[in-house]
Amino acid sequence: QVHLVESGGGSVQAGGSLRISCSVSGYTVDSGYCMGWFRQVPGQKREGLAAMDDGGTTTYVDSVKGRFHVSKDSAKNTLYLRMDSLKPEDTAMYYCAAHIGFCSRPELLTDLVWKYWGQGTQVTVSS
């Protein structure tokens, strides 16, 4: 059974950095799954941010390209999202997700293809 558990969220000042984690169980991060990061502000649609395929190829949406970086630690079976130059508008609940299939920008534009989701971790950026 697949489980995704996010951690590492918190409060940070604008301009700061934060790294959040997604611990995976039920499959290995090198085994054919596409993994993604999303965020959601209450009352708004969930927004796709970045994805990484099992080979380590990454895709980012324009709003975070150059500021957010996806990585993984195969030994820990964990996916990370490092966020730099944080802005107050980055405040949101951040989720990791996984599915077997294509792993490119179109998949980040919808949450319908993503089969597995974590419970989220809150990131708050103060000005």
Side-chain angles (χ1 to χ4, degrees):
Q1 192 170 3
V2 174
H3 287 289
L4 307 176
V5 179
E6 301 93 335
S7 62
S11 297
V12 62
Q13 288 194 324
S17 297
L18 196 65
R19 189 182 76 165
I20 56 178
S21 304
C22 176
S23 179
V24 177
S25 60
Y27 71 92
T28 68
V29 294
D30 298 324
S31 67
Y33 279 76
C34 171
M35 295 197 66
W37 285 101
F38 292 75
R39 67 186 178 190
Q40 189 170 26
V41 175
Q44 297 185 18
K45 181 184 173 184
R46 189 151 46 189
E47 175 189 16
L49 304 174
M52 174 180 276
D53 67 16
D54 58 338
T57 299
T58 54
T59 300
Y60 300 91
V61 298
D62 290 344
S63 61
V64 303
K65 192 177 295 184
R67 295 194 302 125
F68 289 13
H69 303 277
V70 180
S71 62
K72 64 179 177 179
D73 184 329
S74 299
K76 295 182 178 179
N77 214 34
T78 298
L79 186 78
Y80 301 100
L81 181 67
R82 178 176 174 83
M83 303 176 286
D84 296 322
S85 303
L86 282 163
K87 307 173 184 179
E89 50 265 41
D90 293 318
T91 295
M93 184 72 78
Y94 283 72
Y95 299 89
C96 66
H99 79 108
I100 297 177
F102 293 110
C103 201
S104 57
R105 285 190 65 182
E107 282 66 51
L108 290 173
L109 300 179
T110 175
D111 54 7
L112 296 177
V113 302
W114 300 86
K115 183 173 182 179
Y116 304 104
W117 291 88
Q119 83 290 347
T121 187
Q122 176 68 35
V123 173
T124 302
V125 184
S126 58
S127 58

